[in-house]
Amino acid sequence: MALVLHSRRMKLAGLLAGFLLLLAGMLASILYGIHTFGAKELWLAYTQFDESDAHIIITNTRVPRALIAAAVGGSLAMAGAIMQVLTKNPLASPSIFGINAGAVLFIVIALAILGSSLTMNGMVWIALAGAAFTSLLVFTLGMQGRSGFEPMRLTLAGASVAAFASSITSGIMLVNKQSLEAALFWMVGSVSGRQIDHLLIVLPYLVIGWVLSFGLAGSLNVMALGDDSAKSLGQRMMLIRAASVLAVVFLAGSSVATAGPIAFIGLIVPHLCRFLVGNDYRWLLPYCALSGAILLVCADLVSRFILMPKEVPVGVATALIGVPFLIHVARRRNHA
């Protein structure tokens, strides 16, 4: 595969350009929307806060929203890249682990039991627990059998758990309609209405996921060569797989807990980054982190203008981009 960036110098320059593009995207996300502000207003909001509507919107809504979009987008993209090598499936994404379905199920159960007394911070913790529980359940099921871990069994286990969790969720929502409205907005996936506290709750887990992922980059390169080659090179495959799953749990679970199940970021971004820098995970993961952050920040910005003055959840915007891309990838694999 011919790479766009083939030398170390070009890849470093690409990372710097991506970082600057992310900063520009976040600045645009803070300044533009239903209410438009200038850069001076942003500066004054943090240096001379006067409790005006503009300063409150900037500090309490726009800045947290941009930071959450960047953190969630980058984390989902990294999780998708790891899942694709872990399952040996180019169409794999965090949803294949049942992470989205498990988090939604836990939220709906909590809403059915606690009702309106469940706070947004509480929802984040419950969603994180649901995502982690279902991920570890799928991984445990994927290890069952005499042959131990198999990517196909992991994929089937994830699909089965996701379908089971979705069915239970639908049943609870039909029986308890009071939980429907509160859960529906969260289920679509959005960074709107989230506060900086929601990001701070999951930030330690995201950091663990980032550190773990970058630490595994070299081992993921070996894993991509195949089990036999990796074993012949002395790799401890079960340990690497367990660490990879743990990284996905931290990255995707924390992201879903913060912003809901935002689809397609984990699928689209790794493919685009492979086109730029190839399959070397030492470069692929940093590029995924930056590109995923840029994509979700820009998608969130665009979602504000689709039905102005109403906002479209960013999960809908990423789906509009992701479905054609998914069809393109599937067709390319069929004709390969």
Side-chain angles (χ1 to χ4, degrees):
M1 179 174 62
L3 305 180
V4 175
L5 307 175
H6 48 79
S7 69
R8 178 182 175 84
R9 179 175 297 179
M10 292 178 69
K11 292 173 182 175
L12 286 173
L15 283 178
L16 178 59
F19 181 71
L20 295 176
L21 189 60
L22 174 60
L23 290 181
M26 293 178 68
L27 181 61
S29 176
I30 294 169
L31 299 182
Y32 297 107
I34 297 176
H35 303 284
T36 300
F37 307 105
K40 182 180 179 182
E41 202 71 40
L42 172 61
W43 172 259
L44 292 175
Y46 281 93
T47 57
Q48 300 179 30
F49 183 76
D50 59 6
E51 298 185 352
S52 63
D53 290 344
H55 287 188
I56 291 174
I57 292 173
I58 289 173
T59 55
N60 292 358
T61 303
R62 293 285 179 85
V63 171
R65 186 169 176 167
L67 291 173
I68 289 173
V72 168
S75 299
L76 287 175
M78 291 174 67
I82 295 173
M83 286 216 58
Q84 287 168 14
V85 68
L86 185 66
T87 62
K88 296 181 172 56
N89 182 351
L91 298 179
S93 64
S95 60
I96 203 171
F97 256 20
I99 292 174
N100 296 354
V104 170
L105 175 60
F106 273 50
I107 285 289
V108 171
I109 291 174
L111 284 170
I113 296 173
L114 301 175
S116 59
S117 62
L118 180 63
T119 64
M120 192 65 194
N121 283 344
M123 289 176 69
V124 171
W125 281 110
I126 290 169
L128 182 60
F133 175 78
T134 50
S135 300
L136 294 176
L137 174 63
V138 170
F139 179 64
T140 303
L141 293 174
M143 291 181 60
Q144 300 300 311
R146 294 181 178 178
S147 56
F149 183 94
E150 287 188 4
M152 180 56 71
R153 188 182 298 126
L154 181 70
T155 303
L156 292 174
S160 301
V161 170
F164 177 76
S166 297
S167 299
I168 299 298
T169 299
S170 300
I172 294 173
M173 292 176 69
L174 285 174
V175 173
N176 188 347
K177 294 183 179 179
Q178 290 182 343
S179 63
L180 177 62
E181 186 175 351
L184 191 58
F185 184 77
W186 187 87
M187 290 169 64
V188 175
S190 175
V191 294
S192 175
R194 271 61 169 178
Q195 303 297 320
I196 196 66
D197 288 347
H198 303 143
L199 177 61
L200 294 177
I201 289 172
V202 299
L203 188 60
Y205 305 104
L206 286 175
V207 171
I208 293 173
W210 297 336
V211 172
L212 196 55
S213 301
F214 289 129
L216 285 169
S219 298
L220 294 175
N221 283 341
V222 179
M223 184 188 291
L225 299 175
D227 288 3
D228 293 337
S229 299
K231 289 177 181 176
S232 66
L233 293 173
Q235 294 293 312
R236 300 172 65 180
M237 295 302 294
M238 285 307 300
L239 182 61
I240 296 172
R241 284 178 178 134
S244 301
V245 171
L246 199 59
V248 171
V249 169
F250 282 125
L251 292 171
S254 301
S255 299
V256 173
T258 308
I262 296 176
F264 296 108
I265 295 289
L267 170 65
I268 298 172
V269 174
H271 285 282
L272 293 176
C273 292
R274 285 192 182 92
F275 177 71
L276 291 174
V277 297
N279 289 314
D280 186 345
Y281 275 75
R282 292 169 298 181
W283 289 105
L284 184 63
L285 288 177
Y287 266 84
C288 283
L290 272 177
S291 303
I294 294 169
L295 179 58
L296 193 55
V297 168
C298 292
D300 178 47
L301 179 60
V302 170
S303 70
R304 303 172 197 174
F305 294 93
I306 294 176
L307 294 176
M308 183 77 88
K310 294 182 178 179
E311 290 191 12
V312 175
V314 70
V316 176
T318 58
L320 292 175
I321 301 170
V323 170
F325 187 84
L326 176 64
I327 295 172
H328 169 72
V329 171
R331 286 176 58 84
R332 191 180 65 178
R333 296 291 298 180
N334 286 337
H335 292 291

